[in-house]
Amino acid sequence: MDMRDALIEVKEFSNDINELDESLIGLLRTTTITVNVAKSIQSGKKFYNILDNLNK
């Protein structure tokens, strides 16, 4: 499921505009958390690669 599909699904199942706004905010928060975790993992891998190179 991509972002467009998620937004369409949220729109279809929300009757109230406030519910839609809250759902979109929740979706954005979840996406932000996912991106931040992925970046943290990449940074950690880079850090350990640099550390391994320094220890050699």
Side-chain angles (χ1 to χ4, degrees):
M1 175 181 284
D2 63 1
M3 188 67 90
R4 174 182 271 172
D5 293 336
L7 291 172
I8 290 169
E9 189 172 325
V10 167
K11 184 177 179 182
E12 287 176 357
F13 291 107
S14 294
N15 297 329
D16 185 18
I17 193 69
N18 289 332
E19 283 183 30
L20 180 60
D21 288 344
E22 289 176 20
S23 296
L24 292 174
I25 289 170
L27 181 61
L28 289 173
R29 285 181 181 161
T30 303
T31 303
T32 302
I33 290 168
T34 303
V35 169
N36 286 337
V37 167
K39 286 182 179 181
S40 295
I41 291 170
Q42 284 180 333
S43 295
K45 287 179 181 179
K46 287 179 185 177
F47 174 77
Y48 283 112
N49 284 337
I50 292 170
L51 187 62
D52 285 342
N53 289 335
L54 289 174
N55 288 332
K56 289 182 181 180

